[in-house]
Structures are given as C-alpha cells and as structure tokens.
Amino acid sequence: MKSVELTFTIRIAGMLLYFLIAAQGAFYLSGFGKALYNIPAENFIDLRKAVDPVMRGRFKVVYLSALAVVFTWLVMADKSGGFMSYGCLLAAFLLLVADMVLIVKFSEPLNATINGNILESNESLKELRHQWLKFISIRGSLSVTGFVLLLIDMIWKAG
C-alpha cells in the first residue's frame, strides 16, 4: 500500500473511532446526562447495571483502537511545518489520553461500586449518580473537543 493511501486510511480510521467516542460524550452533554437526574437514583443504578456489561467490552476495544490509530496518525504526521502542522492532532491525542486516565481513575471505580451492590442509602445512590454524571460530562467535553480538533486538522490539511 502506498504511503499516501496508508496515511489516508489511518486518518479515516482515526476519525471514525474518535467519532464513536465523541458521539457518546455529545449524547450525554446534549441533555441525556441532565435527564438522568430526573429519574430516581435507584433507577439510574439499575440502568447502569444493565448498560455496563453490554457496553464495557465494546468501548474498551474502541478506546484502545482509537489510542493506537491516533498515535500512529501522530507519528506519521508531516511535522515539517512546525507545531501548526500537527498541533491539533497532538492536542486531540492528549485529550484522548486524558479521557482514558479519567476512565481508569474515576469512571471504572464508580462502575465497580455501582455493580458491587454495596450501596445502602438513597443519599449514597444520589451521590454516586452525581459523581458518575460529573465524570461522564468531563470526559464528554474532552472527547468532543478532541474530535473538533481532528476536524480542524483535516480541514487545515485539505485547504
């Protein structure tokens, strides 16, 4: 495969994978996250328990694939134009890394608590819901911003 074709393939794959991650963030940011405050905390916990096993494996593959592909894209990027020629791509990659750090440090422990059936009071359920939604909002902001930066990079390169 020619270098140009490989670069194009990597860029398209990176955009697609990043889009899948950003779409989840955009979904929560656009109102679904706020809507989850309108249901009882017990129902939120039940919803998370139902969704987590279905989505966990799929999104783990998407995140790890996105990290690998965007890193490859960054390595292959033309850096001869200085920071402006790859700055958006680098920033998008770093935002993806930050998102993954938040997953490991905060989201996964919260999911483990939700799935562990060790919650007792309604107040602890409400606090858990608040913490989970806070981190999904932060992560959503990171991923949407990263995707927009990739779009800017693609437009910059096309122009």
Side-chain angles (χ1 to χ4, degrees):
M1 188 178 278
K2 295 180 186 176
S3 175
V4 173
E5 292 173 1
L6 182 60
T7 301
F8 178 76
T9 303
I10 292 291
R11 289 172 74 177
I12 295 301
M15 288 296 294
L16 177 62
L17 290 164
Y18 218 116
F19 171 77
L20 293 173
I21 293 167
Q24 177 192 22
F27 181 67
Y28 281 98
L29 291 172
S30 69
F32 188 69
K34 288 183 182 172
L36 289 174
Y37 279 107
N38 295 330
I39 64 172
E42 299 85 1
N43 293 0
F44 170 81
I45 299 300
D46 289 339
L47 177 67
R48 287 298 313 140
K49 284 181 178 182
V51 170
D52 191 54
V54 173
M55 297 304 292
R56 177 183 297 272
R58 293 176 181 151
F59 263 86
K60 188 179 286 188
V61 169
V62 170
Y63 268 94
L64 294 175
S65 298
L67 187 63
V69 171
V70 175
F71 179 75
T72 302
W73 182 358
L74 183 60
V75 169
M76 295 175 70
D78 178 16
K79 297 173 189 72
S80 64
F83 181 75
M84 289 305 291
S85 67
Y86 68 93
C88 286
L89 178 58
L90 175 62
F93 175 74
L94 293 175
L95 289 170
L96 182 60
V97 170
D99 185 10
M100 293 183 79
V101 168
L102 290 175
I103 289 170
V104 171
K105 290 188 67 71
F106 299 102
S107 294
E108 283 298 315
L110 289 169
N111 286 335
T113 302
I114 289 169
N115 293 329
N117 293 322
I118 58 172
L119 300 167
E120 296 157 10
S121 74
N122 191 35
E123 288 306 310
S124 66
L125 295 176
K126 286 180 181 178
E127 178 59 24
L128 184 61
R129 174 180 60 188
H130 173 74
Q131 290 298 316
W132 193 91
L133 290 169
K134 176 178 82 172
F135 283 106
I136 200 69
S137 294
I138 294 168
R139 291 180 42 226
S141 296
L142 294 175
S143 63
V144 168
T145 302
F147 184 71
V148 168
L149 288 169
L150 288 183
L151 286 174
I152 291 169
D153 182 73
M154 296 283 277
I155 292 166
W156 182 275
K157 299 290 188 321

